[in-house]
Amino acid sequence: MTKQQVFKFIKKQKTALISSVDENGFPNTKAMLAPRKIQGNDFYFSTNTSSVRVEQYRSNSNACIYFYKRGLFSYTGVMLVGTMCVLTDQNVKNELWRTGDTIFYKQGKTDPDYCVLKFTACKCRVYKDLKTDWCDI
């Protein structure tokens, strides 16, 4: 797949799996809603500042995100490897905010428990049609 095809595939997915590294060096994976914004090789997610994942990314920014689609007779998976940065800048939080977010963040856009995760991809691996290949990112 080309980079353009990879990003087109990613934009159609509703769920992302994100992985962090814990204090003992083990991977931790969590399902998240799809990125709120994709800009270049940067993927933006909203989450709770108090979450375990945020603590792990602040200690070790190495990260991975994974998107997949399972069909009846086929499976496509895209793994992006890179770094995750925790953003608390109010302008970024405002940009990614959605009206329904008050369910999770009672104080609204300025809730101290609301932050943004910015993942920057540096490598991409695609599994499709029983083949696995690295792709340029």
Side-chain angles (χ1 to χ4, degrees):
M1 289 175 90
T2 66
K3 180 178 179 176
Q4 199 171 28
Q5 290 170 318
V6 165
F7 280 70
K8 184 177 178 182
F9 171 80
I10 288 170
K11 288 177 182 176
K12 291 180 181 178
Q13 306 317 307
K14 295 181 180 172
T15 306
L17 299 173
I18 68 168
S19 297
S20 56
V21 180
D22 71 15
E23 64 279 358
N24 296 311
F26 290 100
N28 289 210
T29 301
K30 174 184 176 176
M32 298 272 291
L33 294 173
R36 295 256 170 120
K37 175 182 170 184
I38 301 172
Q39 184 174 29
N41 287 0
D42 296 330
F43 297 74
Y44 296 82
F45 301 87
S46 66
T47 196
N48 295 86
T49 309
S50 61
S51 72
V52 170
R53 208 74 54 226
V54 165
E55 181 181 329
Q56 290 173 341
Y57 290 130
R58 285 182 168 157
S59 296
N60 184 341
S61 65
N62 291 337
C64 175
I65 60 176
Y66 191 81
F67 301 89
Y68 71 94
K69 180 178 181 189
R70 189 179 87 181
L72 286 174
F73 302 104
S74 66
Y75 177 94
T76 301
V78 172
M79 177 183 71
L80 299 168
V81 176
T83 56
M84 191 76 80
C85 180
V86 178
L87 305 176
T88 56
D89 176 78
Q90 193 59 51
N91 290 330
V92 174
K93 290 168 57 170
N94 290 345
E95 182 182 351
L96 268 65
W97 182 261
R98 292 186 182 156
T99 306
D101 287 346
T102 52
I103 294 170
F104 307 107
Y105 315 107
K106 302 297 181 204
Q107 298 176 37
K109 296 177 188 179
T110 60
D111 193 319
D113 199 35
Y114 167 54
C115 71
V116 172
L117 296 176
K118 176 186 172 188
F119 175 82
T120 302
C122 62
K123 291 196 299 186
C124 172
R125 190 162 180 103
V126 176
Y127 175 85
K128 184 177 169 84
D129 300 327
L130 303 175
K131 296 178 190 164
T132 303
D133 289 306
W134 289 100
C135 67
D136 292 328
I137 193 79

